[in-house]
Amino acid sequence: MKFMHRHTESHRSDRIGWLRAAVLGANDGIVSTASLLIGVAAASASHSTLLVTGMAGLMAGAMSMAAGEYISVHSQADTEQADLSRERAELASDPKAEHIELANIYIHRGVSPELAHQVADQLMAHDALGSHARDELGISETLTAKPVQAALASAASFVSGAALPLAVTFVAPEYSVVFWIALMSLVFLAALGAIAARAGGARVLIGAWRVTFWGALAMGVTALVGRLFGAVV
């Protein structure tokens, strides 16, 4: 007797929504907070001023990330719902034309016309709106917009990221605080890039390098601006 061996595959596309928001939030938390602290420190601010600035930046950034992500993703969700409502109306008014449209999609993908119409028949009988949403509009359960999830993930990850350079500021000697914030923030960014690449199935070194490079650039520019303004003052 022959047994069928089930091939189990592990895909990462279901992580796209929360992974993108989490990585964006953590990266922005580290980069913006570290850059803010370095810029203020370069302007010869006191250690207490740095701590207050860092805390204010953490809270403001977390709220901004949550609100921005919610509004952005909600706009995407509104667009998806509008497209689904239109598709639902078209299915109700002219199902035959919608059947032909769905079959043509499969034909263009390489399916024979006869089989394409059979597939369209069966899928529309099972879930007409879901079939058109997936194959015509590109809307799926995996990639659908989730505003609240994205907002919470962004805010939480921003706080986690921002807390790292702020913690360094607490413990670093005042005379070398800029050095330690910059150094440790680059380490944090490299680790974040590597973890995100690993979770997404991408190349770890490239992910780490990409995040670290742009973080270093942001901190360098902010330090330069802070020093210039500090010199003017």
Side-chain angles (χ1 to χ4, degrees):
M1 180 182 293
K2 294 183 178 180
F3 293 93
M4 296 292 291
H5 293 282
R6 184 175 180 180
H7 179 57
T8 303
E9 295 180 341
S10 177
H11 296 287
R12 297 178 171 87
S13 59
D14 59 336
R15 306 175 183 177
I16 289 176
W18 66 262
L19 181 61
R20 180 192 65 84
V23 171
L24 175 62
N27 179 79
D28 197 21
I30 296 173
V31 173
S32 62
T33 305
S35 298
L36 179 64
L37 290 170
I38 290 174
V40 174
S44 302
S46 65
H47 196 258
S48 60
T49 300
L50 283 181
L51 295 178
V52 173
T53 300
M55 286 299 300
L58 183 150
M59 295 303 300
M63 296 304 297
S64 176
M65 284 293 295
E69 193 72 16
Y70 180 84
I71 293 170
S72 174
V73 178
H74 211 297
S75 297
Q76 178 186 341
D78 289 342
T79 302
E80 291 176 354
Q81 290 302 315
D83 284 343
L84 289 174
S85 297
R86 179 179 178 181
E87 196 65 31
R88 188 181 293 107
E90 291 175 350
L91 285 167
S93 63
D94 196 351
K96 185 176 180 179
E98 291 301 304
H99 172 274
I100 295 173
E101 184 178 33
L102 189 61
N104 285 334
I105 292 174
Y106 301 138
I107 292 172
H108 290 152
R109 293 178 182 175
V111 180
S112 66
E114 181 180 358
L115 180 58
H117 283 281
Q118 292 177 4
V119 172
D121 279 335
Q122 295 184 25
L123 289 178
M124 288 188 66
H126 174 68
D127 182 7
L129 182 61
S131 300
H132 281 269
R134 180 178 59 254
D135 294 320
E136 181 185 349
L137 303 178
I139 300 174
S140 67
E141 181 64 26
T142 300
L143 302 178
T144 190
K146 298 180 176 65
V148 175
Q149 181 191 67
L152 292 177
S154 293
S157 57
F158 183 95
V159 171
S160 299
L164 297 175
L166 187 58
V168 174
T169 306
F170 269 104
V171 300
E174 186 172 354
Y175 65 87
S176 59
V177 67
V178 172
F179 169 80
W180 283 109
I181 293 175
L183 176 63
M184 294 308 300
S185 294
L186 292 178
V187 173
F188 298 145
L189 287 171
L192 173 65
I195 293 171
R198 178 76 175 178
R203 297 175 64 179
V204 173
L205 290 179
I206 293 179
W209 164 249
R210 180 170 54 236
V211 175
T212 305
F213 171 78
W214 290 107
L217 181 63
M219 287 185 283
V221 171
T222 310
L224 177 62
V225 173
R227 186 165 294 277
L228 290 174
F229 275 88
V232 172
V233 175

